[in-house]
Amino acid sequence: MITLFFLACAVPSPPVEAPPPVAPVATEAAPSPAEPPAPAGLPLGASLAVLDVPLVDHAGQPRAFFVASGETVIYSMFYTSCPRACPLLIEDIQALAQSLPEADRAQLRVVLISMDPANDPPEALAGIVTQHHLDATWTLAVPPADRVREVAAALGVRYRQLPSGGFAHTSVLTAVDGEGRVLARSDGSVGREALEGAIRKHVAGS
Amino acid sequence: MIALLLAAAWAADRVPVGPGVYEPLYPPSPEEARIPVPRFLLAVEPVTNEEYAAFVEENPAWGRGVARLYADEGYLDDWAAPDAPGASVLPDAPVTRVSWYAARAYCRSVGGRLPTEGEWEIAGAASETSWDARKDPHFLARLLAWYGSPTPRVLPAVGGMANRWGVRDLHGLVWEWVEDFNASLVDVDPRGADGEARFCGGGVVGATAVADYAAFMRLALRASLQADSTVRNLGFRCALDGP
Amino acid sequence: MSSLGLIPLLALLGCAPTPAPTPTPTKPVGPLTATEAAKLEPVGDPVDLEITSAPHVPPPITRDTPAKLVINLEVKEVQKAISDGVDYVQWTFGGDVPGRFIRVRQGDSVEFHLNNHPDNKMPHNIDLHAVTGPGGGAASSFTAPGHSSQFSFKALNPGLYVYHCATAPVGMHIANGMYGLILVEPPGGLPKVDREYYVMQGDFYTVGKYREKGLQPFDMQKAIEENATYVLFNGSEGSLVGDKALTAKVGETVRLFVGNGGPNLVSSFHVIGEIFDRVYTEGGSNFQENVQTTLVPAGGSAIVEFKVDVPGTYILVDHSIFRTFNKGALGMLKVEGPDDKPVYSGKEIDDVYLADKAASTAPPVPAAGGVLSKDDQIKAGGLLFAGTCSTCHQADGKGIEGVFPPLAGSDFLLGDVERAIGVVVNGRSGPITVNGKDYNSVMPPMSNLNDDEVANILTYVTNSFGNSGGVVTAEQVKKVRASTPRPPGAAH
């Protein structure tokens, strides 16, 4: 039923004969009343840069969790044998990147971190890169097995390993700026509009 | 040097718990209704202000000025100084206002880790006389009485009655961190049809032990936390894989 | 629009251009559908909404455009007195039970901040029945102590709705007082009344018995068995009593926003001495009229309206009446102003009801002639005494202290025979002192007794109960009867 609130944003607003407002109308876009705020997690503006979890990327190279490069970065988590949610996640982020003006696309990086180190060595990650034709702006990486939960905690991802070997997890995207400070976060469709807006604005500016 | 002392103290103050079977309140699937928990070692008491202060002395990065990623604004805010508790808290009281990151860092420093939710609940199911008091109305009444009583201004020292495993203060003192605090309630989408499972009466429909209100309370508390959360009455203790 | 092009055409056709239509009024009066309400957008800057503690409510909304409202509601676990000397740790929205009253308009957008005080022990959240969506807005996270959660919603449906904490176990959170009311006014508002008040009932379960003193813990088992220890309006016994009573003046219209947090019991809400002119049953859009007692479901509400015509203290009760007298569900509405005797006069006559002993009002005719001996008088008097006088003065003549004076050793009775006869024949009211104790009752005239019977009774009385003796004759009674006025209402 909360989708009703989202629909309310999409409907063209006032009736033709709107009475003149009694109070001055706020001219910049007020926060949409129907949109819930960003999902809970590290507050906007706090930095992920200090997280010292060592990663290994899909080329087998060691890499810090955060590399200061001046670009906007989207972080999320996945695992290679994920049947549906993770491929959707990847396509979703690709679509987001495509929606940016072409000149800005190079300003956006994506880092996907595996929650399944036992089954996701660099070769498996490379397979996903090939499968989805991911370009150089994408990095897939794997942390040490005992640091997975720390990464998830920093990114606001909730997950649990299932007896069958797969994982139940949330699809949280965290966007950070060139210094690793959190710009926005979305959890599925919650906060999605704000995330896209924040990314669009930031890549245009940088 | 302090680390060696700490490690030695910690070695003396832990007891074996389990093996047991953990029955989550909201098993998302039948296969996850009964989770085996192998034998492990659990600290007899929660980590105290004195112990945590020693850790901060060795690792100044974990004083009150720690990076925002690792703890929110309430971190150690009842300590007199950024790196020392001072007189406002009892040295033997459990350390609170520490985040999950901080708790993990401490446990790592003494060669251990946080207990998992399953491990904690196995240990916490015991009363003084019974391995599994989850259906004992007197035990439950005591837990509920604690939930209904206000947090004291100054937390008292650790050292309550030991339960059947020999572990103290699992109930009646502070809430405690577990390693996988954010692993429960993962696949329940509040916006979907199965969202009712999280709220109100719907929450009870999916749950296994309707009368175990105490377990519900702990679950609700854990679900309310982020990794960087610090809470006035939330502390922790460490665990270790068992022999 | 294209009317400009049509005008020449219409002019050619000889039609005058139609005048611009008068704008239809855009201020709706009645409730909107939820779909219409969902389309409304706020006008103006966000406003920090004033939320009030019971029994007060924020003033009626006067704006006619939707607004963006920011609500900050703090959860606080506090130890409070729920009865004299009885403390309980209540979990509150805003520091009191019930929680703050929230008043919004249909179509308003609300940004809700739930702030869990750092000193609290428990995580909490909130479920507002006014909000559509799973969990009624109980946001996807519980809120830990020292933290805050935020969520937004639009008020789509008008009505008076309960809100409560929805953290498992919900029953315990509600039982500890986590409930309140949110009013969503239809766009035109509610009809104007002179007074509006907020009253919310709840049942409480303590380990100790009713009024057992000290800090009382919550009793889960009693809650499961629905065996309430207290049933209270506004979170404590005496919350609406004495100087905390609700007030109104004669001639005013009063509206009560009545809620019932439960957790278990349904309320049969009644105001002693009043009939509700209107009841919006269950806080909905339609009303019933001329209602004596209305049901308020647990987790539900009702709006009652009535005009107070007569001064006095009206008692608010749950008409499952042992809850009022034995568990604390009692409140007061004090109405001041001029009396209105034709509507209610107060007690007019206090008469003894003798049932089958009450004889006709015709003057009694002596049954037989002749004079009885003293012993016969005593015997006859004794028979009459039983069932007539003993009803009040008791069979042993000792009376009831403070209510009916004794006859045994009564200085008032024995000191003056003619006065004693006058009391029986004419009745007696007003203050008297008997054997050093004050009485202020009403003794009706014994109009059913003839002179002989009065004489016999008095002779019996003066010779019984340890009294000193003497005789009263019919002659004496006749003389007193003739020489003293009968009071109004006496038969003869």
Side-chain angles (χ1 to χ4, degrees):
Chain A
M1 275 292 248
I2 291 192
T3 52
L4 191 63
F5 303 153
F6 293 117
L7 283 175
C9 299
V11 169
S13 44
V16 176
E17 288 165 315
V22 176
V25 181
T27 47
E28 0 21 79
S32 161
E35 170 108 357
L42 196 64
L44 308 190
S47 172
L48 289 174
V50 296
L51 192 66
D52 62 344
V53 175
L55 305 176
V56 177
D57 69 16
H58 59 269
Q61 295 305 307
R63 194 212 123 100
F65 178 82
F66 177 75
V67 178
S69 56
E71 285 117 4
T72 309
V73 186
I74 294 180
Y75 281 89
S76 193
M77 295 187 77
F78 82 118
Y79 62 106
T80 61
S81 55
C82 172
R84 202 167 48 248
C86 309
L88 281 176
L89 178 81
I90 292 173
E91 280 160 32
D92 188 29
I93 301 174
Q94 281 178 310
L96 198 162
Q98 282 297 115
S99 77
L100 298 175
E102 193 161 349
D104 293 342
R105 261 173 241 162
Q107 298 301 316
L108 180 65
R109 299 263 182 268
V110 183
V111 177
L112 283 193
I113 300 175
S114 169
M115 62 184 79
D116 192 11
N119 295 306
D120 287 351
E123 304 81 62
L125 304 179
I128 297 287
V129 171
T130 313
Q131 194 181 357
H132 288 265
H133 314 291
L134 303 177
D135 66 19
T137 59
W138 288 69
T139 305
L140 271 53
V142 57
D146 61 347
R147 308 299 294 271
V148 174
R149 202 158 280 285
E150 227 172 297
V151 173
L155 297 177
V157 172
R158 300 176 79 87
Y159 77 96
R160 191 181 67 255
Q161 183 144 33
L162 301 171
S164 53
F167 289 81
H169 63 96
T170 54
S171 295
V172 176
L173 303 183
T174 303
V176 304
D177 67 10
E179 260 107 77
R181 288 183 295 239
V182 178
L183 292 170
R185 187 182 302 106
S186 68
D187 182 350
S189 56
V190 179
R192 181 45 182 256
E193 218 172 291
L195 178 95
E196 286 186 20
I199 291 175
R200 209 176 299 281
K201 195 161 151 202
H202 202 258
V203 294
S206 56
Chain B
M1 175 58 193
I2 294 175
L4 280 174
L5 285 174
L6 275 176
W10 144 244
D13 282 337
R14 57 195 182 190
V15 291
V17 177
V21 174
Y22 171 47
E23 293 172 321
L25 282 175
Y26 293 105
S29 62
E31 304 91 65
E32 296 173 88
R34 294 171 58 80
I35 298 176
V37 175
R39 200 156 196 259
F40 67 103
L41 297 169
L42 187 64
V44 170
E45 285 160 349
V47 174
T48 63
N49 282 305
E50 189 173 33
E51 290 166 335
Y52 199 78
F55 162 71
V56 170
E57 209 182 313
E58 282 276 286
N59 303 274
W62 281 105
R64 208 146 64 200
V66 75
R68 179 61 186 81
L69 170 69
Y70 291 131
D72 68 20
E73 292 81 7
Y75 182 58
L76 297 179
D77 75 348
D78 58 345
W79 277 21
D83 54 5
S88 54
V89 294
L90 294 177
D92 282 334
V95 67
T96 58
R97 302 175 213 240
V98 288
S99 66
W100 178 78
Y101 292 106
R104 287 171 100 255
Y106 176 94
C107 288
R108 270 193 133 73
S109 75
V110 295
R113 57 169 174 80
L114 283 174
T116 63
E117 181 177 78
E119 288 173 336
W120 199 101
E121 291 288 326
I122 296 285
S127 64
E128 287 87 3
T129 50
S130 159
W131 299 115
D132 182 0
R134 282 177 299 161
K135 292 198 163 56
D136 176 349
H138 298 292
F139 183 63
L140 289 179
R142 276 166 45 198
L143 301 194
L144 289 179
W146 180 64
Y147 298 139
S149 58
T151 304
R153 267 275 116 205
V154 176
L155 286 167
V158 302
M161 288 268 293
N163 71 10
R164 194 86 196 265
W165 297 109
V167 183
R168 302 177 199 280
D169 303 318
L170 286 168
H171 305 291
L173 190 53
V174 290
W175 305 106
E176 292 187 6
W177 280 110
V178 295
E179 170 70 12
D180 51 349
F181 75 97
N182 62 354
S184 47
L185 300 179
V186 173
D187 23 19
V188 176
D189 178 359
R191 289 175 300 285
D194 55 356
E196 292 103 54
R198 281 208 208 186
F199 312 116
C200 265
V204 174
V205 170
T208 51
V210 172
D212 194 354
Y213 292 103
F216 275 104
M217 301 289 201
R218 291 193 292 272
L219 184 65
L221 193 280
R222 287 183 210 120
S224 75
L225 298 170
Q226 304 293 320
D228 60 343
S229 301
T230 65
V231 184
R232 245 199 95 210
N233 55 8
L234 171 67
F236 70 102
R237 71 182 71 213
C238 301
L240 197 63
D241 290 344
Chain C
M1 291 160 272
S2 58
S3 53
L4 289 171
L6 278 175
I7 291 174
L9 180 63
L10 290 169
L12 279 176
L13 293 172
C15 308
T18 48
T22 35
T24 50
T26 48
K27 174 182 163 171
V29 177
L32 306 172
T33 64
T35 318
E36 288 168 335
K39 292 184 184 151
L40 294 179
E41 296 299 321
V43 170
D45 292 325
V47 171
D48 282 322
L49 187 67
E50 180 204 5
I51 49 180
T52 57
S53 297
H56 301 292
V57 298
I61 294 173
T62 49
R63 61 182 152 85
D64 51 12
T65 49
K68 166 101 183 244
L69 304 168
V70 177
I71 297 179
N72 270 287
L73 190 53
E74 181 188 65
V75 176
K76 190 96 176 64
E77 297 164 11
V78 282
Q79 184 170 320
K80 288 194 138 184
I82 59 169
S83 182
D84 200 24
V86 183
D87 276 2
Y88 188 88
V89 176
Q90 291 186 323
W91 298 350
T92 70
F93 283 114
D96 300 293
V97 176
R100 299 291 174 95
F101 194 91
I102 301 174
R103 189 166 196 157
V104 304
R105 183 175 179 271
Q106 189 182 16
D108 281 345
S109 300
V110 177
E111 181 184 287
F112 202 105
H113 297 257
L114 189 70
N115 307 316
N116 193 350
H117 196 279
D119 288 347
N120 289 342
K121 177 146 304 166
M122 306 299 301
H124 294 288
N125 65 6
I126 190 168
D127 172 359
L128 300 117
H129 289 181
V131 178
T132 30
S140 58
S141 55
F142 304 112
T143 309
H147 292 78
S148 180
S149 284
Q150 179 187 331
F151 62 96
S152 299
F153 65 91
K154 211 176 254 185
L156 299 180
N157 299 80
L160 181 63
Y161 297 96
V162 169
Y163 66 80
H164 61 82
C165 181
T167 305
V170 178
M172 184 172 178
H173 285 254
I174 294 177
N176 283 341
M178 297 199 79
Y179 44 79
L181 288 180
I182 171 169
L183 172 69
V184 182
E185 290 190 2
L190 297 171
K192 187 185 174 324
V193 295
D194 298 304
R195 307 258 175 178
E196 287 179 321
Y197 289 110
Y198 171 25
V199 176
M200 195 154 189
Q201 182 173 323
D203 17 300
F204 289 83
Y205 302 83
T206 59
V207 170
K209 296 211 238 307
Y210 175 66
R211 288 197 178 160
E212 191 176 310
K213 297 202 191 302
L215 175 61
Q216 291 294 337
F218 166 67
D219 190 325
M220 177 65 88
Q221 193 53 37
K222 284 186 189 168
I224 292 170
E225 291 164 5
E226 303 191 23
N227 177 12
T229 325
Y230 295 86
V231 181
L232 302 173
F233 293 126
N234 293 1
S236 67
E237 227 178 326
S239 63
L240 296 174
V241 162
D243 57 1
K244 293 193 265 181
L246 306 178
T247 57
K249 294 199 173 44
V250 167
E252 287 184 333
T253 44
V254 177
R255 173 181 290 137
L256 301 181
F257 295 107
V258 184
N260 184 1
N264 289 322
L265 306 180
V266 174
S267 178
S268 303
F269 187 72
H270 176 81
V271 176
I272 299 181
E274 260 303 335
I275 295 172
F276 302 137
D277 299 323
R278 274 192 185 189
V279 174
Y280 290 83
T281 40
E282 294 163 19
S285 304
N286 299 314
F287 57 85
Q288 176 61 284
E289 296 177 290
N290 298 317
V291 174
Q292 64 194 306
T293 300
T294 190
L295 286 173
V296 188
S301 71
I303 305 177
V304 306
E305 297 173 3
F306 50 94
K307 181 156 173 273
V308 287
D309 299 308
V310 177
T313 300
Y314 296 81
I315 310 290
L316 281 59
V317 302
D318 178 340
H319 221 297
S320 291
I321 207 69
F322 275 92
R323 297 175 192 174
T324 291
F325 295 123
N326 296 77
K327 297 192 177 180
L330 188 149
M332 290 178 178
L333 167 66
K334 289 191 175 158
V335 177
E336 288 178 345
D339 281 330
D340 186 354
K341 286 271 189 266
V343 173
Y344 185 75
S345 66
K347 202 193 284 204
E348 286 179 340
I349 294 176
D350 191 340
D351 212 335
V352 171
Y353 177 60
L354 297 171
D356 53 5
K357 291 265 188 284
S360 73
T361 54
V365 173
V371 176
L372 292 171
S373 69
K374 180 173 163 188
D375 282 337
D376 287 338
Q377 268 191 292
I378 292 172
K379 205 152 55 184
L383 291 171
L384 286 166
F385 181 90
T388 305
C389 318
S390 67
T391 315
C392 301
H393 293 285
Q394 308 304 301
D396 59 6
K398 292 212 169 110
I400 295 183
E401 187 156 337
V403 187
F404 304 121
L407 305 173
S410 164
D411 55 4
F412 184 86
L413 173 80
L414 300 166
D416 182 342
V417 167
E418 280 181 15
R419 180 174 64 185
I421 296 169
V423 167
V424 180
V425 171
N426 298 324
R428 183 77 188 219
S429 62
I432 60 171
T433 306
V434 179
N435 295 348
K437 295 210 161 68
D438 293 326
Y439 294 86
N440 190 349
S441 282
V442 175
M443 173 159 166
M446 295 288 115
S447 317
N448 52 312
L449 302 172
N450 64 25
D451 296 343
D452 279 303
E453 286 165 332
V454 175
N456 294 343
I457 286 175
L458 283 170
T459 305
Y460 167 77
V461 169
T462 54
N463 284 280
S464 307
F465 319 124
N467 289 341
S468 48
V471 169
V472 175
T473 63
E475 273 305 306
Q476 283 172 297
V477 178
K478 187 169 165 186
K479 213 158 106 191
V480 170
R481 201 190 286 278
S483 63
T484 54
R486 301 285 92 72
H492 58 96

